[in-house]
Amino acid sequence: MTVPQAILGALSVYLALGVLFAIPFVLVGAGRLDPDARQGTWGFRVLIFPGATLLWPLLAKRWAMGARVPTERTPHKEALRRSERAER
Amino acid sequence: MGHSYQAVQWNPNKKRYDALLLVSVVLYLGVFLGVGFVWFPEATAETLLLRALGTAGFLALHVILCIGPLARLDRRWLPLLYNRRHLGVTMATLGLLHGGLALLQFHGFGDVSAFESLFTSNPRWGSLAQFPFQPLGAAALVILVLMAATSHDFWLANLTAPVWKALHMLVYVAYGLLVMHVALGALQVESSPIPLVLLGVGILTVGGLQVLAARKDRQVDGEIGVSPGSDTGWIDVCAIGEIEDGRARLVLASGERIAIFRDGDRYSALSAVCQHQNGPLGEGRIVDGLAVCPWHGFQYRPKCGRSPEPFQEVVPTFPLKIVEERLWLDPTPLPLGDESGSTSGGGIRA
Ligand code: HEM
Ligand code: FES
């Protein structure tokens, strides 16, 4: 096997696993991460399928951790967290 | 957000933009092919189509990269920004069609698979004039497809900020790869200087607008007047009449911009970073009693920083007081949703 063949083979495996992951993800996993996705339409599920296929390791990790919708971290929210901690 | 996801949240404006976009693409491809057949009768239909799709996608990427800075320089461009997502998906589709056609035409009929051929058929990596420019296009295409695939609101909400930052930086990588794809590919066999000039104009436009927008951001920050040591203790902001009704004055404190909005004689201080995509909330206006982000219209109650039901977004608020007709701001954020920071005109509160 040549190097390009090996790379392309690894990519194919990655994408195949992605497709396998994306099916349960768009049906169930998305709703676990984000309550707004629970009642999502079929069109929505189809639209997020390619993204789930490409980014599956990231999403699998969030799903396994039981992660929820992240909030943006801004300096003000950090400052708030610090001052709330100081009060406790 | 606080509602179920759909494929696309259609509204009349989006439909109008999409119709315009579709007509523009079809017109561009039609004119390109028509002119091509007349001026280059020796070119095959496949070659012309390949070029029409490639240039259309590359042009769309230029428009996309210009919209952001244009909207920061002049608010009249904002409507285009709202629809950038569909332009992005269109661009990725054009790139896919162009790449797919090239793959089929140049690599589809050999002994090895088309993908393998794409990376191995031209091994002259050391040559400038005959550099394998097609893998550069393929690498860019992967990035563009990744961005299009993650453009739904669901991804905005659920990919974390570092992932978003990385994705945003990758657009510029894709742009650089495509510049090389064109410069080392089509331009090497081109005798007319026109394509080279067009490429130069494109690069200068994208680069120039980015520089101008960055300079304007710095200017806005400069006008704010950052007093040293302003992360603790009260800051003298301005006289109460100085803020235009319905608009905000910006103060840089605790590491970010704080927007002090005026609604009639009521003043409220909000963290000026929109929770949606970190948009410039402080450049927004008060509409129907709500502070509206200029980027995509997310709304926040000025008093408490919360979005109206059923939305869940909330930005921190800050204590304000009026002493001798001047507004003072305490840059330590209040607990989320706290309304006590807001103050109204006439009276003096400490
Ligand atoms: C798998 C990916 C790609 C492959 C195999 C590929 C292949 C090619 C080939 C063979 C040419 C030369 C055409 C000629 O000289 O007549 C070309 C030119 C070009 N490509 Fe690509 N490309 C890919 C991706 C892209 C993408 C994603 C874009 C932009 C969105 C793009 C934009 C262009 C442009 C602007 C030209 C110059 C057009 C011209 O020939 O006048 N390419 N590409
Ligand atoms: S950034 Fe999208 S609405 Fe503010």
Side-chain angles (χ1 to χ4, degrees), chain B residues 42-85:
Chain B
E42 73 288 351
T44 63
E46 288 93 335
T47 304
L48 282 178
L49 188 59
L50 185 72
R51 293 181 171 182
L53 291 167
T55 53
F58 198 40
L59 190 63
L61 180 58
H62 278 85
V63 176
I64 288 169
L65 290 176
C66 290
I67 291 174
L70 278 176
R72 294 198 65 65
L73 291 168
D74 186 335
R75 312 169 54 85
R76 276 170 297 183
W77 293 95
L78 278 170
L80 279 182
L81 191 73
Y82 302 150
N83 216 45
R84 190 153 63 155
R85 179 175 346 193

Side-chain angles (χ1 to χ4, degrees), chain B residues 42-344:
Chain B
E42 73 288 351
T44 63
E46 288 93 335
T47 304
L48 282 178
L49 188 59
L50 185 72
R51 293 181 171 182
L53 291 167
T55 53
F58 198 40
L59 190 63
L61 180 58
H62 278 85
V63 176
I64 288 169
L65 290 176
C66 290
I67 291 174
L70 278 176
R72 294 198 65 65
L73 291 168
D74 186 335
R75 312 169 54 85
R76 276 170 297 183
W77 293 95
L78 278 170
L80 279 182
L81 191 73
Y82 302 150
N83 216 45
R84 190 153 63 155
R85 179 175 346 193
H86 290 189
L87 188 54
V89 173
T90 307
M91 184 238 334
T93 308
L94 289 165
L96 264 177
L97 291 173
H98 163 89
L101 188 63
L103 216 55
L104 195 71
Q105 200 183 356
F106 299 112
H107 307 281
F109 308 104
D111 312 327
V112 293
S113 79
F115 290 106
E116 196 182 334
S117 161
L118 173 63
F119 291 95
T120 53
S121 62
N122 175 2
R124 289 181 288 267
W125 298 89
S127 153
L128 208 56
Q130 293 176 311
F131 189 86
F133 65 94
Q134 296 191 36
L136 299 174
L141 185 57
V142 169
I143 295 174
L144 301 182
V145 168
L146 184 64
M147 303 208 52
T150 52
S151 61
H152 192 276
D153 272 339
F154 172 79
W155 300 114
L156 285 184
N158 285 281
L159 295 179
T160 52
V163 177
W164 271 110
K165 235 178 229 152
L167 278 174
H168 276 255
M169 294 316 291
L170 279 176
V171 194
Y172 295 99
V173 175
Y175 182 64
L177 286 167
L178 285 176
V179 167
M180 295 206 291
H181 173 68
V182 175
L184 295 172
L187 288 189
Q188 297 295 328
V189 292
E190 182 65 61
S191 49
S192 149
I194 293 173
L196 179 65
V197 171
L198 284 178
L199 182 66
V201 170
I203 296 173
L204 286 178
T205 310
V206 169
L209 281 172
Q210 301 281 346
V211 170
L212 283 179
R215 190 188 297 167
K216 175 163 183 207
D217 278 357
R218 269 200 308 278
Q219 242 170 29
V220 171
D221 280 350
E223 283 162 12
I224 291 167
V226 189
S227 39
S230 60
D231 284 2
T232 51
W234 292 88
I235 304 170
D236 181 0
V237 179
C238 62
I240 51 172
E242 260 179 58
I243 305 178
E244 198 187 320
D245 195 13
R247 299 302 299 265
R249 167 68 59 101
L250 290 169
V251 174
L252 189 60
S254 292
E256 246 318 333
R257 299 175 197 193
I258 297 173
I260 297 142
F261 275 101
R262 172 178 172 195
D263 187 9
D265 68 347
R266 175 156 288 282
Y267 295 87
S268 314
L270 296 177
S271 176
V273 189
C274 179
Q275 173 143 13
H276 178 219
Q277 275 181 50
N278 294 347
L281 182 56
E283 292 170 25
R285 309 171 171 269
I286 303 278
V287 180
D288 296 332
L290 298 169
V292 181
C293 175
W295 278 11
H296 316 93
F298 273 44
Q299 302 165 317
Y300 301 88
R301 293 186 202 284
K303 271 195 195 175
C304 62
R306 287 189 189 284
S307 293
E309 291 285 311
F311 300 103
Q312 311 270 314
E313 281 74 22
V314 47
V315 293
T317 52
F318 298 85
L320 277 178
K321 65 179 178 184
I322 295 171
V323 180
E324 289 165 2
E325 303 293 296
R326 291 193 72 80
L327 266 173
W328 291 76
L329 167 80
D330 178 355
T332 310
L334 290 162
L336 284 183
D338 195 316
E339 298 193 355
S340 67
S342 175
T343 186
S344 68

Side-chain angles (χ1 to χ4, degrees), chain B residues 22 37 108 152 246:
Chain B
L22 189 70
F37 276 123
H152 192 276

